[in-house]
Every structure is written in structure tokens, then in C-alpha cells.
Amino acid sequence: MNASQRGFTLIEVVVTLALIGLLAGMAAPLTETVVRRGKEQDMRAALYQIRDAIDAYKRAFDAGYIEKSLNSSGYPPNLQVLVEGVRDVRSAKGAKFYFLRRVPHDPLTPAKRDDEGGWGLRSYDSSAQNPREGEDVFDVYSKARGKGLNGIAYREW
């Protein structure tokens, strides 16, 4: 064998690198979409968990298991109450109701220590179009900017 038959030519190497670059360029947006879809699924599951816990708190309040006050709407005062639990007024032993193990964090917002999991809170007496915090937590929404892959703004999920 002579020296010209041992390796790849420069053209073969350049064509191979160009094809690899082309494939990587096509795969990068797909990977970003898959990661984003995963975060959106996590957010949807977290919203479901929190909203289900808020509804369970309201049902327990309406059933008389939670202490009622005159001006209370029946919704929890904050999300941490769902984790810490509330005393069952029908129990002589001082049993508690727990609605969440922990407040799930919004996967689309940066993590902070004491921000109720990164969620925006809507009180019972605020509108859905202009949510604001208040004496209780009627609903939660994401503070993430932008729209989901479904075209709906994250705040509206």
C-alpha cells in the first residue's frame, strides 16, 4: 500500500463533519421542545395537585371539619397551611387534616426560598382576568412569562 491509500481525503472529512453538523442542528430544536414539554407537563401536574388540595380544604371547611370564622371564605389563608395541616374541630384528640406533603414548585420560574413555590396567588374576591392576593387562596397560577406549546399563556393555565 502506498501513502495515498491509507487515510481519508480532506473532502471526505469535510463532508462528514458537515453532515454531523446538519444532523446536530436539526436535533437541537427538537431537544429544546422535548425539555419544554416536560416542564409544561410538570407544571400541569403541580397545578392539579395544588388546586385539588385547595378544593379538599374547602370541602372540609364546608363539612365543618375546620374551624369557621365569621368573615372566612372557606379557602386556605396561604399554601403553607395545606402542608402544615389544620386541626379537626370534630376530633377530641386534636387530629389534623393534611392536604399536601409539600408545595410543588413552578418548574418554569426561577427557584426562590419563601415565595409559595413560585406561584401567583388569587384570592376569592379577585377576578380571573386580574388576579390578586388577599385574605385567602382561591386559585394559583404560574408567574412564568410567555405561552405554552399549546398557544395559551402560562398565566392562564
Side-chain angles (χ1 to χ4, degrees):
M1 259 190 192
N2 64 23
S4 65
Q5 294 178 347
R6 279 197 215 164
F8 297 106
T9 65
L10 180 61
I11 293 176
E12 291 171 332
V13 171
V14 168
V15 168
T16 303
L17 289 175
L19 287 174
I20 291 173
L22 179 66
L23 290 174
M26 289 175 11
L30 180 62
T31 304
E32 290 174 13
T33 302
V34 167
V35 169
R36 186 171 164 194
R37 182 174 290 129
K39 287 184 178 183
E40 288 182 1
Q41 287 174 342
D42 290 345
M43 185 177 83
R44 185 175 289 116
L47 284 169
Y48 178 80
Q49 285 177 352
I50 295 170
R51 288 172 175 163
D52 189 47
I54 292 170
D55 291 343
Y57 183 100
K58 176 66 170 155
R59 283 191 301 272
F61 181 88
D62 291 343
Y65 291 107
I66 299 173
E67 186 176 350
K68 295 183 178 185
S69 66
L70 191 57
N71 59 354
S72 179
S73 66
Y75 291 98
N78 55 50
L79 294 180
Q80 200 57 37
V81 168
L82 300 173
V83 176
E84 294 169 356
V86 291
R87 190 178 75 76
D88 180 359
V89 296
R90 295 184 176 182
S91 170
K93 297 179 182 179
K96 283 183 141 184
F97 285 112
Y98 299 94
F99 302 96
L100 284 174
R101 290 185 180 191
R102 63 175 180 78
V103 176
H105 188 76
D106 183 351
L108 296 175
T109 59
K112 294 181 184 175
R113 284 274 178 210
D114 56 349
D115 65 348
E116 299 274 0
W119 303 105
L121 306 178
R122 176 181 163 216
S123 68
Y124 181 70
D125 61 353
S126 71
S127 68
Q129 293 76 22
N130 188 22
R132 59 183 164 72
E133 293 185 33
E135 303 267 328
D136 57 13
V137 179
F138 175 72
D139 195 14
V140 293
Y141 61 92
S142 176
K143 292 181 180 177
R145 295 180 184 188
K147 293 183 177 182
L149 294 173
N150 59 3
I152 299 172
Y154 291 126
R155 290 179 57 96
E156 297 174 12
W157 281 31

